[in-house]
Amino acid sequence: MRYGELIGLLMVALQGLLKKNLKINEASFQQIIAIFIIPDNGIEMTALSRTLGVDNSTATRLIAGLEKKNWVKKSISYEDKRVVLVHITKRGHHVQKQIEFQLDAIGESVEKIICPKE
């Protein structure tokens, strides 16, 4: 089997596993991924969109939805007024902890059915 084919199969299986088992009330899968990857010290909007693999406009709409939930807040960089920073709120940090807990549970269930040597 070629690595590209293997990576494709792994991607589909992992995405299905996560979408089925990773649940945060009133959050889309993309919002869950976005909130999870925002570090405690914040991230530039451009870096966030690059990490998510989406356009800046898509990331902006995504972050607007997270702001409505009070999970993140945006600010302007002091060094460069053109740069928008995204910071996690206390509520957003709580959501990150929920995601980590759920990912640990998913990992434990996968570990039970897959031999570590595989």
Side-chain angles (χ1 to χ4, degrees):
M1 182 178 284
R2 295 186 341 247
Y3 284 113
E5 184 179 351
L6 184 61
I7 290 170
L9 291 171
L10 180 60
M11 177 190 67
V12 170
L14 185 57
Q15 185 173 355
L17 177 70
L18 292 176
K19 281 187 173 185
K20 182 179 177 185
N21 295 291
L22 194 59
K23 303 291 182 194
I24 301 295
N25 288 339
E26 301 174 18
S28 69
F29 184 70
Q30 194 70 15
Q31 287 177 328
I32 291 170
I33 299 301
I35 194 75
F36 182 71
I37 64 172
I38 297 173
D40 289 339
N41 61 344
I43 188 170
E44 292 182 9
M45 183 68 85
T46 304
L48 179 66
S49 65
R50 204 175 317 120
T51 303
L52 291 171
V54 299
D55 292 335
N56 279 335
S57 60
T58 303
T60 299
R61 286 190 303 276
L62 183 63
I63 293 303
L66 295 177
E67 278 185 302
K68 286 180 183 176
K69 296 177 188 308
N70 195 28
W71 293 357
V72 299
K73 63 180 178 177
K74 291 191 307 188
S75 64
I76 303 298
S77 170
Y78 293 112
E79 294 86 27
D80 187 343
K81 302 296 183 200
R82 299 170 296 174
V83 175
V84 176
L85 302 170
V86 180
H87 298 276
I88 199 88
T89 63
K90 282 187 177 186
R91 191 168 181 193
H93 189 66
H94 177 71
V95 172
Q96 282 182 330
K97 293 294 182 190
Q98 289 179 310
I99 295 168
E100 288 174 14
F101 178 77
Q102 289 182 27
L103 286 173
D104 286 343
I106 293 167
E108 288 173 11
S109 65
V110 168
E111 190 176 22
K112 289 178 184 176
I113 58 175
I114 296 178
C115 175
K117 292 182 181 178
E118 291 179 21

